[in-house]
Amino acid sequence: MNNATNNRNAYLLLVLTMLMWSTNFIIARALHQQVGPFTLAFARWAIALCCVLPFALPRLRRNWDKLRQQWPLLLLLGLFGIGLTNTLVYWAVQTTTATNAVILNSATPVMVLLLGSLYFRQRLSSRQWLGMTLALCGALLIVLKGKLLAIGSFHFGAGDLLVLAGGLCWAIYTLGLRKLKPGIDAMVQMAVLLLVGEAVLLPLFGMELAQRGLPTLDGAGWASLLYLGALPSVVAYLMYNRAIAMVGTAKAASFLYLMPAFGALQSIVLLGEELHWYHAAGLAAIFGGIALSSLTRARTDPSAAPALRPRES
């Protein structure tokens, strides 16, 4: 597979991933009165683990040595990527609005690039920084409904700090993926990360269960939870991990700005909200920023080595 085809495939995986992940804030906010944040996170990853284990267990023995060699890094990835990132977001939307969460989540790609430049010493071109800025403006244009100056009246609360903490955890997870040595089966790797995340969440889930009891969900609530556990939690994570291995963190970071754009489009299609000029302008700015930062002839990203691609079987 040549480099151009490899990049196109990775970009398609990233677009589909962001389409699935864009529903995360919407579902979390819709269920926040019925399901506590720790229960939601624990249930989501439990469903994901049930989906992955039938594929991972038969492959565990032949991957055991590689897992033992990298167990500290796998623990770190499970802690930050599964145990903390979305849990902090679910906790945040108990007290902050979905709009605030989306705005602050827009800082995540910048965190990825800044941490990457510090840890991996990635040198980003001016076109990549310009692309990131353009994509950020596009995301904010959509979230703020065309009134960019309204960000000056942004109210910062405890829930907003949790969103930023979740973004930082995701940046650490994204960059940590680059340190994994090749050869671990993708399903086995996912199962291990899920087990670590569930171990972190178990005491928090037990504490919340003792305080609030089991949640009562209607059919739509259960359907939302099952969807969250299967597609955004398994399929999207596998695609994201593969895309990172194919093109590296720097090129993938700007695709995170597609989440608010897709969220707005879903509201238009599913909820009947009106299409406005700022939707089209914001989406155009996001894709323009992605083109600048991802399709540019930038310096080689040391985190995009083909050898780091997870083995599939």
Side-chain angles (χ1 to χ4, degrees), residues 152-182:
S153 59
F154 183 86
H155 298 290
F156 205 83
D160 303 318
L161 285 174
L162 292 173
V163 176
L164 288 176
L168 179 59
C169 289
W170 185 252
I172 294 171
Y173 170 78
T174 298
L175 293 167
L177 286 174
R178 310 305 312 137
K179 300 292 290 182
L180 275 177
K181 296 177 182 178

PDB file of all heavy atoms in Angstrom, residues 152-182:
ATOM      1  N   GLY A 152     -16.324  35.615  25.061  1.00  0.00           N
ATOM      2  CA  GLY A 152     -15.895  36.500  26.141  1.00  0.00           C
ATOM      3  C   GLY A 152     -16.794  36.422  27.361  1.00  0.00           C
ATOM      4  O   GLY A 152     -16.383  36.764  28.470  1.00  0.00           O
ATOM      5  N   SER A 153     -18.047  35.963  27.166  1.00  0.00           N
ATOM      6  CA  SER A 153     -18.977  35.835  28.288  1.00  0.00           C
ATOM      7  C   SER A 153     -19.048  34.404  28.809  1.00  0.00           C
ATOM      8  O   SER A 153     -19.968  34.050  29.539  1.00  0.00           O
ATOM      9  CB  SER A 153     -20.382  36.285  27.850  1.00  0.00           C
ATOM     10  OG  SER A 153     -20.845  35.484  26.760  1.00  0.00           O
ATOM     11  N   PHE A 154     -18.062  33.602  28.426  1.00  0.00           N
ATOM     12  CA  PHE A 154     -18.016  32.201  28.845  1.00  0.00           C
ATOM     13  C   PHE A 154     -17.874  32.119  30.370  1.00  0.00           C
ATOM     14  O   PHE A 154     -17.028  32.788  30.961  1.00  0.00           O
ATOM     15  CB  PHE A 154     -16.834  31.491  28.178  1.00  0.00           C
ATOM     16  CG  PHE A 154     -16.732  30.026  28.483  1.00  0.00           C
ATOM     17  CD1 PHE A 154     -17.424  29.101  27.737  1.00  0.00           C
ATOM     18  CD2 PHE A 154     -15.930  29.576  29.524  1.00  0.00           C
ATOM     19  CE1 PHE A 154     -17.331  27.750  28.009  1.00  0.00           C
ATOM     20  CE2 PHE A 154     -15.823  28.225  29.807  1.00  0.00           C
ATOM     21  CZ  PHE A 154     -16.529  27.313  29.048  1.00  0.00           C
ATOM     22  N   HIS A 155     -18.735  31.327  31.013  1.00  0.00           N
ATOM     23  CA  HIS A 155     -18.690  31.161  32.464  1.00  0.00           C
ATOM     24  C   HIS A 155     -17.970  29.867  32.797  1.00  0.00           C
ATOM     25  O   HIS A 155     -18.361  28.785  32.361  1.00  0.00           O
ATOM     26  CB  HIS A 155     -20.112  31.155  33.042  1.00  0.00           C
ATOM     27  CG  HIS A 155     -20.854  32.432  32.814  1.00  0.00           C
ATOM     28  ND1 HIS A 155     -20.530  33.611  33.453  1.00  0.00           N
ATOM     29  CD2 HIS A 155     -21.901  32.727  31.994  1.00  0.00           C
ATOM     30  CE1 HIS A 155     -21.347  34.572  33.066  1.00  0.00           C
ATOM     31  NE2 HIS A 155     -22.181  34.064  32.163  1.00  0.00           N
ATOM     32  N   PHE A 156     -16.925  29.977  33.596  1.00  0.00           N
ATOM     33  CA  PHE A 156     -16.059  28.835  33.893  1.00  0.00           C
ATOM     34  C   PHE A 156     -16.422  28.270  35.259  1.00  0.00           C
ATOM     35  O   PHE A 156     -16.421  28.991  36.256  1.00  0.00           O
ATOM     36  CB  PHE A 156     -14.599  29.288  33.879  1.00  0.00           C
ATOM     37  CG  PHE A 156     -13.631  28.193  33.585  1.00  0.00           C
ATOM     38  CD1 PHE A 156     -13.364  27.818  32.278  1.00  0.00           C
ATOM     39  CD2 PHE A 156     -12.988  27.521  34.612  1.00  0.00           C
ATOM     40  CE1 PHE A 156     -12.473  26.814  31.991  1.00  0.00           C
ATOM     41  CE2 PHE A 156     -12.088  26.519  34.342  1.00  0.00           C
ATOM     42  CZ  PHE A 156     -11.831  26.161  33.021  1.00  0.00           C
ATOM     43  N   GLY A 157     -16.756  26.963  35.306  1.00  0.00           N
ATOM     44  CA  GLY A 157     -17.131  26.326  36.555  1.00  0.00           C
ATOM     45  C   GLY A 157     -16.357  25.045  36.795  1.00  0.00           C
ATOM     46  O   GLY A 157     -15.471  24.672  36.019  1.00  0.00           O
ATOM     47  N   ALA A 158     -16.726  24.351  37.870  1.00  0.00           N
ATOM     48  CA  ALA A 158     -16.023  23.119  38.234  1.00  0.00           C
ATOM     49  C   ALA A 158     -16.165  22.063  37.145  1.00  0.00           C
ATOM     50  O   ALA A 158     -15.221  21.331  36.837  1.00  0.00           O
ATOM     51  CB  ALA A 158     -16.559  22.595  39.562  1.00  0.00           C
ATOM     52  N   GLY A 159     -17.352  21.965  36.541  1.00  0.00           N
ATOM     53  CA  GLY A 159     -17.563  20.995  35.479  1.00  0.00           C
ATOM     54  C   GLY A 159     -16.666  21.251  34.282  1.00  0.00           C
ATOM     55  O   GLY A 159     -16.224  20.309  33.599  1.00  0.00           O
ATOM     56  N   ASP A 160     -16.382  22.523  34.016  1.00  0.00           N
ATOM     57  CA  ASP A 160     -15.518  22.876  32.893  1.00  0.00           C
ATOM     58  C   ASP A 160     -14.079  22.416  33.130  1.00  0.00           C
ATOM     59  O   ASP A 160     -13.383  21.998  32.206  1.00  0.00           O
ATOM     60  CB  ASP A 160     -15.569  24.381  32.655  1.00  0.00           C
ATOM     61  CG  ASP A 160     -16.988  24.876  32.406  1.00  0.00           C
ATOM     62  OD1 ASP A 160     -17.719  24.185  31.680  1.00  0.00           O
ATOM     63  OD2 ASP A 160     -17.358  25.914  32.961  1.00  0.00           O
ATOM     64  N   LEU A 161     -13.640  22.484  34.378  1.00  0.00           N
ATOM     65  CA  LEU A 161     -12.310  21.977  34.713  1.00  0.00           C
ATOM     66  C   LEU A 161     -12.215  20.479  34.457  1.00  0.00           C
ATOM     67  O   LEU A 161     -11.183  19.968  34.014  1.00  0.00           O
ATOM     68  CB  LEU A 161     -11.987  22.267  36.182  1.00  0.00           C
ATOM     69  CG  LEU A 161     -11.617  23.704  36.542  1.00  0.00           C
ATOM     70  CD1 LEU A 161     -11.482  23.841  38.050  1.00  0.00           C
ATOM     71  CD2 LEU A 161     -10.319  24.120  35.853  1.00  0.00           C
ATOM     72  N   LEU A 162     -13.304  19.764  34.727  1.00  0.00           N
ATOM     73  CA  LEU A 162     -13.321  18.326  34.487  1.00  0.00           C
ATOM     74  C   LEU A 162     -13.215  18.016  32.996  1.00  0.00           C
ATOM     75  O   LEU A 162     -12.558  17.049  32.600  1.00  0.00           O
ATOM     76  CB  LEU A 162     -14.609  17.715  35.053  1.00  0.00           C
ATOM     77  CG  LEU A 162     -14.741  17.714  36.582  1.00  0.00           C
ATOM     78  CD1 LEU A 162     -16.128  17.238  36.999  1.00  0.00           C
ATOM     79  CD2 LEU A 162     -13.673  16.830  37.212  1.00  0.00           C
ATOM     80  N   VAL A 163     -13.845  18.846  32.162  1.00  0.00           N
ATOM     81  CA  VAL A 163     -13.742  18.649  30.709  1.00  0.00           C
ATOM     82  C   VAL A 163     -12.298  18.824  30.258  1.00  0.00           C
ATOM     83  O   VAL A 163     -11.772  18.030  29.466  1.00  0.00           O
ATOM     84  CB  VAL A 163     -14.661  19.625  29.949  1.00  0.00           C
ATOM     85  CG1 VAL A 163     -14.479  19.472  28.435  1.00  0.00           C
ATOM     86  CG2 VAL A 163     -16.120  19.375  30.308  1.00  0.00           C
ATOM     87  N   LEU A 164     -11.639  19.866  30.761  1.00  0.00           N
ATOM     88  CA  LEU A 164     -10.233  20.091  30.413  1.00  0.00           C
ATOM     89  C   LEU A 164      -9.352  18.944  30.896  1.00  0.00           C
ATOM     90  O   LEU A 164      -8.434  18.504  30.186  1.00  0.00           O
ATOM     91  CB  LEU A 164      -9.752  21.405  31.010  1.00  0.00           C
ATOM     92  CG  LEU A 164     -10.290  22.689  30.357  1.00  0.00           C
ATOM     93  CD1 LEU A 164      -9.793  23.912  31.123  1.00  0.00           C
ATOM     94  CD2 LEU A 164      -9.870  22.779  28.891  1.00  0.00           C
ATOM     95  N   ALA A 165      -9.636  18.440  32.099  1.00  0.00           N
ATOM     96  CA  ALA A 165      -8.871  17.302  32.617  1.00  0.00           C
ATOM     97  C   ALA A 165      -9.076  16.072  31.742  1.00  0.00           C
ATOM     98  O   ALA A 165      -8.130  15.319  31.471  1.00  0.00           O
ATOM     99  CB  ALA A 165      -9.284  17.011  34.052  1.00  0.00           C
ATOM    100  N   GLY A 166     -10.316  15.879  31.264  1.00  0.00           N
ATOM    101  CA  GLY A 166     -10.585  14.770  30.363  1.00  0.00           C
ATOM    102  C   GLY A 166      -9.829  14.912  29.053  1.00  0.00           C
ATOM    103  O   GLY A 166      -9.311  13.925  28.504  1.00  0.00           O
ATOM    104  N   GLY A 167      -9.755  16.138  28.551  1.00  0.00           N
ATOM    105  CA  GLY A 167      -8.996  16.378  27.320  1.00  0.00           C
ATOM    106  C   GLY A 167      -7.519  16.096  27.496  1.00  0.00           C
ATOM    107  O   GLY A 167      -6.865  15.533  26.606  1.00  0.00           O
ATOM    108  N   LEU A 168      -6.973  16.461  28.650  1.00  0.00           N
ATOM    109  CA  LEU A 168      -5.570  16.185  28.927  1.00  0.00           C
ATOM    110  C   LEU A 168      -5.323  14.674  29.009  1.00  0.00           C
ATOM    111  O   LEU A 168      -4.316  14.168  28.492  1.00  0.00           O
ATOM    112  CB  LEU A 168      -5.156  16.858  30.242  1.00  0.00           C
ATOM    113  CG  LEU A 168      -3.710  16.650  30.695  1.00  0.00           C
ATOM    114  CD1 LEU A 168      -2.725  17.169  29.651  1.00  0.00           C
ATOM    115  CD2 LEU A 168      -3.467  17.323  32.040  1.00  0.00           C
ATOM    116  N   CYS A 169      -6.241  13.949  29.641  1.00  0.00           N
ATOM    117  CA  CYS A 169      -6.115  12.487  29.714  1.00  0.00           C
ATOM    118  C   CYS A 169      -6.137  11.882  28.318  1.00  0.00           C
ATOM    119  O   CYS A 169      -5.385  10.935  28.027  1.00  0.00           O
ATOM    120  CB  CYS A 169      -7.252  11.907  30.556  1.00  0.00           C
ATOM    121  SG  CYS A 169      -7.133  12.243  32.318  1.00  0.00           S
ATOM    122  N   TRP A 170      -6.994  12.412  27.443  1.00  0.00           N
ATOM    123  CA  TRP A 170      -7.062  11.885  26.078  1.00  0.00           C
ATOM    124  C   TRP A 170      -5.781  12.174  25.308  1.00  0.00           C
ATOM    125  O   TRP A 170      -5.317  11.340  24.522  1.00  0.00           O
ATOM    126  CB  TRP A 170      -8.257  12.464  25.335  1.00  0.00           C
ATOM    127  CG  TRP A 170      -8.411  11.847  23.984  1.00  0.00           C
ATOM    128  CD1 TRP A 170      -8.162  12.408  22.768  1.00  0.00           C
ATOM    129  CD2 TRP A 170      -8.814  10.499  23.716  1.00  0.00           C
ATOM    130  NE1 TRP A 170      -8.393  11.507  21.758  1.00  0.00           N
ATOM    131  CE2 TRP A 170      -8.787  10.333  22.314  1.00  0.00           C
ATOM    132  CE3 TRP A 170      -9.195   9.433  24.518  1.00  0.00           C
ATOM    133  CZ2 TRP A 170      -9.143   9.117  21.708  1.00  0.00           C
ATOM    134  CZ3 TRP A 170      -9.541   8.235  23.919  1.00  0.00           C
ATOM    135  CH2 TRP A 170      -9.513   8.091  22.529  1.00  0.00           C
ATOM    136  N   ALA A 171      -5.196  13.339  25.520  1.00  0.00           N
ATOM    137  CA  ALA A 171      -3.938  13.664  24.861  1.00  0.00           C
ATOM    138  C   ALA A 171      -2.837  12.695  25.303  1.00  0.00           C
ATOM    139  O   ALA A 171      -2.032  12.233  24.484  1.00  0.00           O
ATOM    140  CB  ALA A 171      -3.538  15.109  25.173  1.00  0.00           C
ATOM    141  N   ILE A 172      -2.816  12.378  26.597  1.00  0.00           N
ATOM    142  CA  ILE A 172      -1.823  11.422  27.104  1.00  0.00           C
ATOM    143  C   ILE A 172      -2.053  10.048  26.499  1.00  0.00           C
ATOM    144  O   ILE A 172      -1.100   9.359  26.090  1.00  0.00           O
ATOM    145  CB  ILE A 172      -1.891  11.360  28.642  1.00  0.00           C
ATOM    146  CG1 ILE A 172      -1.444  12.700  29.247  1.00  0.00           C
ATOM    147  CG2 ILE A 172      -1.024  10.224  29.191  1.00  0.00           C
ATOM    148  CD1 ILE A 172      -1.669  12.809  30.743  1.00  0.00           C
ATOM    149  N   TYR A 173      -3.309   9.632  26.398  1.00  0.00           N
ATOM    150  CA  TYR A 173      -3.629   8.332  25.782  1.00  0.00           C
ATOM    151  C   TYR A 173      -3.191   8.295  24.322  1.00  0.00           C
ATOM    152  O   TYR A 173      -2.559   7.332  23.868  1.00  0.00           O
ATOM    153  CB  TYR A 173      -5.140   8.079  25.879  1.00  0.00           C
ATOM    154  CG  TYR A 173      -5.616   6.894  25.069  1.00  0.00           C
ATOM    155  CD1 TYR A 173      -5.435   5.595  25.533  1.00  0.00           C
ATOM    156  CD2 TYR A 173      -6.239   7.078  23.842  1.00  0.00           C
ATOM    157  CE1 TYR A 173      -5.874   4.504  24.791  1.00  0.00           C
ATOM    158  CE2 TYR A 173      -6.678   5.992  23.097  1.00  0.00           C
ATOM    159  CZ  TYR A 173      -6.490   4.716  23.570  1.00  0.00           C
ATOM    160  OH  TYR A 173      -6.915   3.642  22.829  1.00  0.00           O
ATOM    161  N   THR A 174      -3.521   9.349  23.582  1.00  0.00           N
ATOM    162  CA  THR A 174      -3.178   9.401  22.158  1.00  0.00           C
ATOM    163  C   THR A 174      -1.674   9.291  21.942  1.00  0.00           C
ATOM    164  O   THR A 174      -1.210   8.528  21.085  1.00  0.00           O
ATOM    165  CB  THR A 174      -3.710  10.711  21.538  1.00  0.00           C
ATOM    166  OG1 THR A 174      -5.132  10.735  21.639  1.00  0.00           O
ATOM    167  CG2 THR A 174      -3.310  10.821  20.071  1.00  0.00           C
ATOM    168  N   LEU A 175      -0.916  10.037  22.725  1.00  0.00           N
ATOM    169  CA  LEU A 175       0.543   9.996  22.585  1.00  0.00           C
ATOM    170  C   LEU A 175       1.125   8.688  23.123  1.00  0.00           C
ATOM    171  O   LEU A 175       2.121   8.181  22.602  1.00  0.00           O
ATOM    172  CB  LEU A 175       1.165  11.192  23.304  1.00  0.00           C
ATOM    173  CG  LEU A 175       0.836  12.543  22.660  1.00  0.00           C
ATOM    174  CD1 LEU A 175       1.212  13.686  23.587  1.00  0.00           C
ATOM    175  CD2 LEU A 175       1.538  12.696  21.325  1.00  0.00           C
ATOM    176  N   GLY A 176       0.471   8.126  24.140  1.00  0.00           N
ATOM    177  CA  GLY A 176       0.934   6.852  24.675  1.00  0.00           C
ATOM    178  C   GLY A 176       0.811   5.719  23.682  1.00  0.00           C
ATOM    179  O   GLY A 176       1.611   4.766  23.696  1.00  0.00           O
ATOM    180  N   LEU A 177      -0.190   5.800  22.795  1.00  0.00           N
ATOM    181  CA  LEU A 177      -0.344   4.776  21.756  1.00  0.00           C
ATOM    182  C   LEU A 177       0.905   4.661  20.893  1.00  0.00           C
ATOM    183  O   LEU A 177       1.226   3.587  20.378  1.00  0.00           O
ATOM    184  CB  LEU A 177      -1.548   5.112  20.861  1.00  0.00           C
ATOM    185  CG  LEU A 177      -2.940   4.889  21.439  1.00  0.00           C
ATOM    186  CD1 LEU A 177      -3.985   5.422  20.472  1.00  0.00           C
ATOM    187  CD2 LEU A 177      -3.193   3.411  21.721  1.00  0.00           C
ATOM    188  N   ARG A 178       1.602   5.778  20.748  1.00  0.00           N
ATOM    189  CA  ARG A 178       2.772   5.797  19.882  1.00  0.00           C
ATOM    190  C   ARG A 178       3.940   5.018  20.465  1.00  0.00           C
ATOM    191  O   ARG A 178       4.872   4.655  19.759  1.00  0.00           O
ATOM    192  CB  ARG A 178       3.230   7.252  19.646  1.00  0.00           C
ATOM    193  CG  ARG A 178       2.129   8.186  19.204  1.00  0.00           C
ATOM    194  CD  ARG A 178       1.396   7.700  17.978  1.00  0.00           C
ATOM    195  NE  ARG A 178       2.335   7.301  16.949  1.00  0.00           N
ATOM    196  CZ  ARG A 178       2.192   6.207  16.215  1.00  0.00           C
ATOM    197  NH1 ARG A 178       1.183   5.404  16.394  1.00  0.00           N
ATOM    198  NH2 ARG A 178       3.077   5.914  15.287  1.00  0.00           N
ATOM    199  N   LYS A 179       3.898   4.795  21.783  1.00  0.00           N
ATOM    200  CA  LYS A 179       4.995   4.096  22.440  1.00  0.00           C
ATOM    201  C   LYS A 179       4.836   2.577  22.413  1.00  0.00           C
ATOM    202  O   LYS A 179       5.766   1.854  22.749  1.00  0.00           O
ATOM    203  CB  LYS A 179       5.117   4.558  23.896  1.00  0.00           C
ATOM    204  CG  LYS A 179       5.397   6.045  24.070  1.00  0.00           C
ATOM    205  CD  LYS A 179       6.780   6.410  23.572  1.00  0.00           C
ATOM    206  CE  LYS A 179       7.867   5.854  24.451  1.00  0.00           C
ATOM    207  NZ  LYS A 179       9.219   6.246  23.995  1.00  0.00           N
ATOM    208  N   LEU A 180       3.650   2.107  22.047  1.00  0.00           N
ATOM    209  CA  LEU A 180       3.424   0.664  22.015  1.00  0.00           C
ATOM    210  C   LEU A 180       4.269   0.015  20.925  1.00  0.00           C
ATOM    211  O   LEU A 180       4.300   0.478  19.785  1.00  0.00           O
ATOM    212  CB  LEU A 180       1.947   0.359  21.760  1.00  0.00           C
ATOM    213  CG  LEU A 180       1.004   0.331  22.962  1.00  0.00           C
ATOM    214  CD1 LEU A 180      -0.413   0.077  22.493  1.00  0.00           C
ATOM    215  CD2 LEU A 180       1.427  -0.706  23.985  1.00  0.00           C
ATOM    216  N   LYS A 181       4.925  -1.070  21.265  1.00  0.00           N
ATOM    217  CA  LYS A 181       5.697  -1.816  20.276  1.00  0.00           C
ATOM    218  C   LYS A 181       4.750  -2.639  19.410  1.00  0.00           C
ATOM    219  O   LYS A 181       3.661  -2.988  19.840  1.00  0.00           O
ATOM    220  CB  LYS A 181       6.713  -2.720  20.982  1.00  0.00           C
ATOM    221  CG  LYS A 181       7.769  -1.955  21.766  1.00  0.00           C
ATOM    222  CD  LYS A 181       8.701  -2.899  22.494  1.00  0.00           C
ATOM    223  CE  LYS A 181       9.728  -2.123  23.323  1.00  0.00           C
ATOM    224  NZ  LYS A 181      10.617  -3.031  24.094  1.00  0.00           N
ATOM    225  N   PRO A 182       5.153  -2.971  18.189  1.00  0.00           N
ATOM    226  CA  PRO A 182       4.267  -3.687  17.276  1.00  0.00           C
ATOM    227  C   PRO A 182       4.055  -5.138  17.705  1.00  0.00           C
ATOM    228  O   PRO A 182       4.840  -5.704  18.463  1.00  0.00           O
ATOM    229  CB  PRO A 182       5.024  -3.618  15.946  1.00  0.00           C
ATOM    230  CG  PRO A 182       6.459  -3.492  16.338  1.00  0.00           C
ATOM    231  CD  PRO A 182       6.464  -2.674  17.580  1.00  0.00           C
TER     232      PRO A 182
END
